[in-house]
Amino acid sequence: MEQPVPASFQPVPMMAMPAIVCPKLAAFDALWRGQAALRAIPRRSDFTPRLLAPFLLNLTFVERCLDDQGRRRYRHRLFGSALAEKMGNCTGKYLEDIVPAEKVANWTRAYDAATMGNAPLHFLTPFGLPGMDHLMIETLLAPVATDNDARYGFLGIAYFFARVPPSQ
């Protein structure tokens, strides 16, 4: 079922995004854009396990859903083991079960933008968990649709590295 864009949704102001640093992230971006050549927003089913195999350790499928009160929530349907190594296994968990309460609103806005956007969002930021401030995280959130082209959620892919970006 198509979920309407919430009345409170505000598009994120466009700004120059940093160039993708991680070659695997760039490869995933190229894969998404290749699938987007077939339709405006690629379908979840366009991304077969064979296509995603090189990225599965660092991949998450995030589904946008509504709770009983009609509030939108985001559930991690799949959470790659490289992500789980840093953050714990989040498969099946909702955003508010993972992120500190004071950060849920900001993350929800980013997830809204990723779900409702027409292109991947790219982030390159310090990793903000206690004891891991020596790491950077580079993330791409790419929107996907259902097989009837309704907005579904997004594929997220993230790579961690020391504050000096990787060369491979």
Side-chain angles (χ1 to χ4, degrees), residues 23-56:
K24 288 184 179 181
L25 203 72
F28 180 79
D29 184 55
L31 172 65
W32 186 91
R33 291 177 190 284
Q35 295 299 321
L38 305 174
R39 57 186 61 82
I41 299 298
R43 294 175 178 163
R44 183 177 53 164
S45 61
D46 292 336
F47 295 94
T48 64
R50 182 169 295 200
L51 282 177
L52 293 176
F55 311 106
L56 287 174

Side-chain angles (χ1 to χ4, degrees), residues 103-122:
K103 297 187 183 222
V104 169
N106 285 340
W107 280 66
T108 298
R109 281 193 288 280
Y111 280 23
D112 285 344
T115 300
M116 302 313 296
N118 293 321
L121 295 178
H122 175 232

